[in-house]
Amino acid sequence: MASTKIIWTKIDEAPALATHSLLPVVQAYTKGTGVEVETWDISLAGRIIANFPDNLTDGQKIPDYLAKLGALTKQPDANIIKLPNISASIPQLQAAIKELQGKGFDIPDYPEEPSNDAERRLQARFAKVLGSAVNPVLREGNADRRAAVAVKKFAQKNPHRMMKDWPKEGSQCRVAHMDGGDFYGSETSRTMERTCAAIIEFVNQDGKATVLKEGIDLLPGEVIDASRMNVTALREFYAATMDEAKEKDVLLSLHLKATMMKISDPIMFGHCVAVYFKDALDKHADVLKEIGANVNNGLAGVLAKLDRLPAEKMAEIEADIAACYESGPDLAMVDSRKGITNLHVPNDVIVDASMPNVVRDGGRMWNKGDELQDTIAMVPDRCYATMYQAIVADAAANGQFDPATMGNVANVGLMAQKAEEYGSHDKTFTAPSAGTFRVVDEAGAVLLEQAVGTGDIFRMCQAKDLPIRDWVKLAVTRARAAGAPAVFWLDPARGHDAQLIAKVEKYLPEHDTDGLELKILKPVDAMNHALERVRKGEDTIAVTGNVLRDYLTDLFPILELGTSARMLSIVPLLEGGGLFETGAGGSAPKHVQQFLKEGHLRWDSLGEYCALVPSFEMLANAGNARAALLAQTLDEAVGSYLEHARYPSRKVNEIDNRGSTYYLALYWAQALAAQDEDAELQERFAAVAEKLAAGESAITEELLAAQGAAMELGGYYRPDEGVTGSAMRPSATFNGIIDAL
């Protein structure tokens, strides 16, 4: 029997809790089949520990599993189940460090404002943990992300009930964006003709050049871009939109991705905080600078430092901040009961999860009275804002989408080898003065350049030719398999997209496209095309770059399925292996909050169930016949899971993730017992299925009895393994059956 290994990533928050329930079942069911399931820790806390072993005991140290996984993705037998992980903002990083320190880990503090070379080196080490630290390392392939057929059919038959009508009297919701000075308007791009090594340098107005990054290896056919965000124009945009929201008496909201886009977006977030609270922040600028208040960490980054001041001064600043709330437009709320607004913390409102909710909630967000109210949603950069405005305008004109009838929008995404913006963090810089950022080759020739003013944000991005070529191939493959049109979302007026259009037109003739409907449309037109088909119940494949891949694979699943956690995400790795992603984690923090408050975990592990099927199939293709049976029977079990609606409820004292795991185990055992291809497995699981079915009443009672009380797990970023395991496996009856395997 061929022995084959699946690497299951240990991650954070709700999916990490769910793993404590599901993984013991998977490991028990695969025992004796030649399939090994091994966990590697790439959680935020795990990444911190791995990167800072200097002062840790041998018992505290763990390997750098992210680096190991990165190497594994380049092997043809790589088989990785990748769950959603935290892409940490600075506040999240600081909170995780504090928790680890409290557990006895001698981890250094993060130097927000380094004052010497040692602190700057330390900050650079922490940069490997911040933001999109995981995905660019693991994604050595392009994305095939879609709802499984059974999941989509179930969603149409049993539509989710979260959709709210758009107001018939008209909505004031709109997506506000810049009209100039943004990344979109400034982007220049070129395709490399030869191999070379480049640097990024900054040249000030006196002609002095400072090298910011060396060793950028460029390959023939690679697309490179440079763009800049004019922060003066950005602040003017914020101020004008704030005035509009105040005049129209609607909520103001900001939608960025300060987690993944860990350099550019926190700065853009900070400018919004600075403009909204301008009167207070300008009045106390010297004092706030002295205590290290950082608007890039949100208003919380200011408030957290006020306790360093005398009580009288602290009260004065708080009063001036309160006055800004009174004079400015009302802000969208994250938690109205606690007074936490959209501008409180940069990672609380993340565009790919927040904008679908604006559409779902009828163009509204929650106000300070805990009621839904029309919002002006600010998405500053036009690269993607126009696409969001298109769906908002469509819903306002044509009414809310109907999950029972709407078609599906799947995605083929270009993301391999750090393609596009998510791989650009190490090539994103803030201008120290007026001058020019330049990308220069080894001969001194300028490849790209951007003139900037003080504080402007410069960004260089790359997309290698091999991933682009593979992306086009995957688009054709999916169009053929799905029998649906494939639309490349590319804008000829944008520098990068113009280069990609030339690539698409070059590589499409390499494939059999007879009978396929393939289009190239700019994002706003592609969105309108997809929406027209969606409303007719027709399916479409969106073929996009990396960022749009992320945004669309939350947007449509949240509308269609109620959550993006139920999506199937297959990444065929360039070297032949497979990365199987299990849905999106945007809602994971709220699920943890509910679990800690009332012992109910509403995270749906359907994404994990679905990802395991192709993972097993890959092992079957490598010669493990029992893996084929595991895949077939698990797929049948998922169908039963959906048919019987065993997914978690949102309400306490009803079925939660742990109950879902039990029913998945029951249906899987029944399917294994019913098959007749492997007599040994049939006999083994006939007994398991009988015991699980007979114990249904006792098991469900034990699982429900564990709900209703507050939970203490011994940590948020690194909870106690034993305590968490007990909390997620509270049924002695169920555990006894599974552990006996």
Side-chain angles (χ1 to χ4, degrees):
M1 182 189 304
S3 179
T4 39
K5 182 176 291 187
I6 296 170
I7 302 300
W8 185 289
T9 58
K10 178 182 177 182
I11 31 62
D12 315 276
E13 297 180 325
L17 296 180
T19 288
H20 282 276
S21 178
L22 175 61
L23 190 56
V25 173
V26 175
Q27 290 175 323
Y29 278 42
T30 55
K31 188 174 181 179
T33 65
V35 176
E36 301 174 62
V37 184
E38 185 176 316
T39 56
W40 287 8
D41 187 352
I42 59 169
S43 65
L44 173 57
R47 301 196 310 267
I48 294 171
I49 293 169
N51 279 279
F52 292 91
D54 316 45
N55 301 317
L56 302 183
T57 67
D58 289 342
Q60 292 174 324
K61 293 177 183 178
I62 64 172
D64 186 346
Y65 283 115
L66 180 57
K68 290 182 66 174
L69 279 171
L72 180 61
T73 60
K74 298 178 177 65
Q75 301 300 316
D77 59 349
N79 191 320
I80 303 166
I81 299 289
K82 194 268 179 185
L83 284 76
N85 60 277
I86 289 176
S87 296
S89 64
I90 289 175
Q92 287 173 302
L93 173 66
Q94 291 170 322
I97 292 170
K98 184 176 180 180
E99 181 177 312
L100 287 171
Q101 291 170 341
K103 291 176 175 289
F105 289 83
D106 189 357
I107 304 289
D109 290 329
Y110 174 77
E112 268 189 63
E113 298 180 0
S115 58
N116 54 51
D117 287 344
E119 290 185 348
R120 279 185 281 273
R121 286 193 297 270
L122 187 58
Q123 189 183 61
R125 285 180 68 184
F126 273 116
K128 292 177 64 178
V129 179
L130 278 167
S132 185
V134 172
N135 292 339
V137 175
L138 299 189
R139 287 171 171 168
E140 283 289 318
N142 293 311
D144 169 11
R145 192 164 167 84
R146 61 190 188 273
V149 173
V151 173
K152 177 62 177 177
K153 286 182 177 178
F154 176 82
Q156 290 179 318
K157 186 177 179 181
N158 303 272
H160 68 90
R161 300 174 183 175
M162 292 180 282
M163 304 291 263
K164 297 178 176 64
D165 290 337
W166 281 68
K168 293 180 180 178
E169 64 275 13
S171 171
Q172 295 193 81
C173 177
R174 78 177 186 93
V175 177
H177 56 73
M178 300 170 70
D179 293 321
D182 56 355
F183 290 121
Y184 173 91
S186 64
E187 187 173 69
T188 57
S189 185
R190 65 181 291 172
T191 298
M192 297 302 298
E193 297 178 350
R194 59 183 177 83
T195 299
C196 74
I199 63 170
I200 298 174
E201 64 180 14
F202 177 73
V203 184
N204 67 16
Q205 290 183 307
D206 295 330
K208 180 183 177 182
T210 302
V211 176
L212 302 174
K213 184 172 180 63
E214 298 178 288
I216 304 173
D217 296 322
L218 303 176
L219 299 174
E222 184 166 357
V223 177
I224 62 172
D225 321 310
S227 58
R228 65 99 179 87
M229 171 62 71
N230 182 313
V231 297
T232 298
L234 176 67
R235 292 172 72 101
E236 290 172 352
F237 159 73
Y238 283 146
T241 311
M242 289 174 190
D243 289 343
E244 178 190 353
K246 180 72 173 179
E247 179 184 344
K248 293 181 176 178
D249 192 27
V250 297
L251 294 180
L252 180 78
S253 57
L254 176 63
H255 304 261
L256 293 168
K257 188 142 187 170
T259 49
M260 290 284 200
M261 307 299 290
K262 64 183 179 182
I263 305 297
S264 59
D265 283 27
I267 297 170
M268 294 163 65
F269 189 93
H271 281 296
C272 189
V273 174
V275 172
Y276 187 89
F277 297 101
K278 184 177 188 304
D279 291 346
L281 299 181
D282 285 357
K283 177 181 176 182
H284 302 287
D286 292 341
V287 172
L288 294 173
K289 182 178 180 180
E290 186 177 328
I291 62 174
N294 186 352
V295 293
N296 291 1
N297 292 337
L299 179 62
V302 176
L303 298 177
K305 301 296 176 70
L306 295 185
D307 59 4
R308 302 181 182 185
L309 298 172
E312 185 177 337
K313 187 65 177 177
M314 178 177 175
E316 179 188 352
I317 295 175
E318 288 176 335
D320 288 337
I321 288 173
C324 293
Y325 282 124
E326 292 300 318
S327 61
D330 287 339
L331 295 174
M333 304 299 293
V334 172
D335 190 332
S336 57
R337 291 162 294 182
K338 297 180 180 179
I340 297 176
T341 76
N342 183 188
L343 300 185
H344 199 75
V345 179
N347 52 276
D348 270 348
V349 176
I350 301 174
V351 60
D352 49 328
S354 60
M355 280 307 302
N357 290 347
V358 170
V359 178
R360 184 196 69 190
D361 291 340
R364 295 165 291 187
M365 295 184 73
W366 296 98
N367 62 22
K368 59 189 176 185
D370 209 23
E371 296 176 335
L372 287 171
Q373 182 179 344
D374 285 358
T375 186
I376 294 179
M378 295 189 295
V379 182
D381 183 40
R382 285 173 293 166
C383 287
Y384 311 111
T386 57
M387 172 270 294
Y388 281 124
Q389 172 55 25
I391 191 169
V392 164
D394 181 278
N398 300 310
Q400 188 58 277
F401 299 92
D402 184 355
T405 60
M406 65 188 296
N408 169 253
V409 180
N411 183 268
V412 170
L414 172 62
M415 67 178 193
Q417 299 183 338
K418 303 183 182 180
E420 296 187 327
E421 289 87 339
Y422 286 178
S424 71
H425 312 305
D426 59 345
K427 299 179 286 295
T428 300
F429 302 96
T430 306
S433 66
T436 304
F437 284 99
R438 305 195 309 186
V439 181
V440 182
D441 71 11
E442 65 269 85
V446 176
L447 302 176
L448 298 168
E449 63 182 352
Q450 288 285 342
V452 293
T454 302
D456 286 357
I457 307 166
F458 168 86
R459 186 169 71 197
M460 178 193 173
C461 302
Q462 299 169 254
K464 297 189 182 338
D465 184 62
L466 178 62
I468 296 171
R469 196 168 193 159
D470 179 77
W471 174 62
V472 174
K473 176 185 175 183
L474 185 57
V476 173
T477 301
R478 286 304 308 150
R480 178 75 64 193
V487 180
F488 290 85
W489 294 44
L490 298 170
D491 185 348
R494 182 184 171 192
H496 170 80
D497 284 11
Q499 300 294 318
L500 284 196
I501 288 172
K503 295 269 191 184
V504 171
E505 292 175 341
K506 176 182 177 181
Y507 292 138
L508 275 178
E510 296 179 353
H511 306 285
D512 175 13
T513 60
D514 286 350
L516 302 182
E517 186 178 342
L518 304 168
K519 296 177 180 288
I520 300 175
L521 298 174
K522 63 182 181 180
V524 64
D525 294 335
M527 174 60 82
N528 286 325
H529 175 263
L531 295 178
E532 182 180 355
R533 292 180 57 82
V534 157
R535 290 189 181 276
K536 295 177 183 177
E538 297 173 343
D539 298 341
T540 311
I541 300 168
V543 189
T544 72
N546 198 1
V547 179
L548 261 180
R549 169 201 60 79
D550 201 18
Y551 293 0
L552 294 181
T553 55
D554 268 317
L555 176 61
F556 285 105
I558 286 174
L559 300 180
E560 294 176 38
L561 313 177
T563 174
S564 55
R566 293 182 173 181
M567 290 291 282
L568 178 62
S569 182
I570 300 173
V571 181
L573 298 173
L574 296 176
E575 296 299 328
L579 177 71
F580 306 97
E581 298 187 282
T582 68
S587 59
K590 292 186 180 299
H591 293 192
V592 177
Q593 290 168 16
Q594 183 181 11
F595 187 70
L596 294 177
K597 181 181 178 182
E598 53 191 22
H600 179 91
L601 184 66
R602 70 177 189 264
W603 176 264
D604 189 349
S605 290
L606 182 59
E608 289 93 304
Y609 309 158
C610 291
L612 266 169
V613 173
S615 174
F616 286 141
E617 289 172 343
M618 180 182 166
L619 301 185
N621 292 335
N624 187 318
R626 282 188 162 175
L629 268 181
L630 291 171
Q632 174 192 323
T633 52
L634 177 57
D635 193 42
E636 293 172 13
V638 170
S640 297
Y641 169 87
L642 290 169
E643 181 183 344
H644 293 95
R646 300 301 189 183
Y647 44 85
S649 166
R650 299 173 67 87
K651 298 179 181 179
V652 67
N653 297 322
E654 296 180 0
I655 186 173
D656 77 346
N657 177 273
R658 295 165 291 186
S660 296
T661 296
Y662 158 66
Y663 280 107
L664 189 280
L666 169 63
Y667 300 142
W668 195 3
Q670 289 173 337
L672 282 162
Q675 58 80 30
D676 56 10
E677 295 178 36
D678 188 312
E680 183 182 340
L681 285 183
Q682 183 183 49
E683 181 181 356
R684 178 187 182 199
F685 281 97
V688 175
E690 182 179 349
K691 291 175 184 177
L692 288 173
E696 180 176 11
S697 178
I699 292 169
T700 55
E701 285 180 14
E702 290 167 352
L703 292 175
L704 288 173
Q707 297 189 38
M711 306 293 294
E712 175 52 58
L713 301 178
Y716 184 90
Y717 294 96
R718 198 163 186 82
D720 182 276
E721 288 289 305
V723 172
T724 306
S726 296
M728 289 305 300
R729 302 188 71 201
S731 170
T733 306
F734 184 34
N735 296 347
I737 298 169
I738 297 302
D739 294 346
L741 287 168

